Amino acid sequence: MASSKIHGAVAVVAVMFLAAVLPSASATVDEPANYKPAAPAPAPSPPTSSYPSPPPVQPVIVVHGVIYCKSCKLRGYNSGMDASPLPNATASLVCYGDEESKFRVLNQTSTASDANGYFIVMVYDLDMFDRHTCRLYLRSSPTPLCAKPSIPSNPKLGLTLVRDRAATAPRGARGVWHARTALMYAPAAGGKCPRHY
């Protein structure tokens, strides 16, 4: 008896659950009253680059050259020049303005020379650059053992510039220039050459 009551109660609960879950025969499949259709998804926009556009290239004049240690047989020694490249030396580019520039002076230090003695100067003040008034000077040597100016021998005299038409100019460069000859230091009179460079 108790078993039939339990089965009856379970059957009633099951019928109530199904009535709640399943739509009745009279129910329609219409949308609920508070349903609002969603707008269709927007069409995808055309692909754009995720990278920002590169900044405009700033015009520049490039002046480059090499610095050597005269008469010292260091790494990269050139017997024809009797000199070796001097790394970590610097040069100065000095340009003298005219009346229009109110006699301003441009004085820029080069990068430190690399293992081959190569240095570079980037001039962004294009109005100040004039090959007729610009000169390259020795500025600093990394060692007192090779610090006596040799070319030019007078540190107050600079080397004139010539256009380097064989060089590949970087993007934005208005011209590439170099000194008429290499810049050179030498040991002081009776001095010794540096051991390693």
Side-chain angles (χ1 to χ4, degrees):
M1 187 89 161
S3 164
S4 65
K5 282 185 182 179
I6 291 173
H7 286 298
V10 169
V12 170
V13 170
V15 169
M16 288 174 54
F17 174 75
L18 289 174
V21 173
L22 297 175
S24 66
S26 63
T28 61
V29 205
D30 292 339
E31 299 162 348
N34 61 356
Y35 174 78
K36 294 182 181 174
S45 58
T48 58
S49 172
S50 59
Y51 299 104
S53 58
V57 176
Q58 188 173 357
V60 65
I61 297 284
V62 178
V63 179
H64 64 134
V66 286
I67 302 175
Y68 283 90
C69 181
K70 183 74 175 163
S71 75
C72 290
K73 296 182 179 179
L74 307 173
R75 185 182 307 148
Y77 176 74
N78 182 322
S79 59
M81 297 173 65
D82 185 30
S84 304
L86 187 61
N88 297 316
T90 59
S92 286
L93 176 70
V94 180
C95 300
Y96 299 96
D98 55 16
E99 191 175 346
E100 283 183 23
S101 63
K102 299 183 180 175
F103 300 103
R104 289 187 303 137
V105 176
L106 174 76
N107 188 342
Q108 279 190 243
T109 302
S110 71
T111 60
S113 55
D114 64 11
N116 299 313
Y118 179 78
F119 67 86
I120 190 169
V121 182
M122 307 285 272
V123 181
Y124 293 99
D125 189 349
L126 303 186
D127 292 336
M128 283 299 298
F129 183 84
D130 179 349
R131 78 169 188 90
H132 301 290
T133 64
C134 294
R135 299 288 184 270
L136 267 175
Y137 297 84
L138 288 166
R139 181 170 179 90
S140 69
S141 169
T143 171
L145 297 178
C146 191
K148 179 184 176 186
S150 176
I151 298 177
S153 57
N154 184 338
K156 294 181 180 178
L157 296 177
L159 300 178
T160 57
L161 302 176
V162 293
R163 188 150 202 159
D164 190 344
R165 300 192 186 278
T168 303
R171 188 168 165 245
R174 297 288 175 88
V176 180
W177 301 81
H178 64 82
R180 290 192 176 275
T181 183
L183 293 156
M184 288 193 192
Y185 281 107
K192 295 182 178 179
C193 289
R195 296 187 115 193
H196 305 287
Y197 269 98

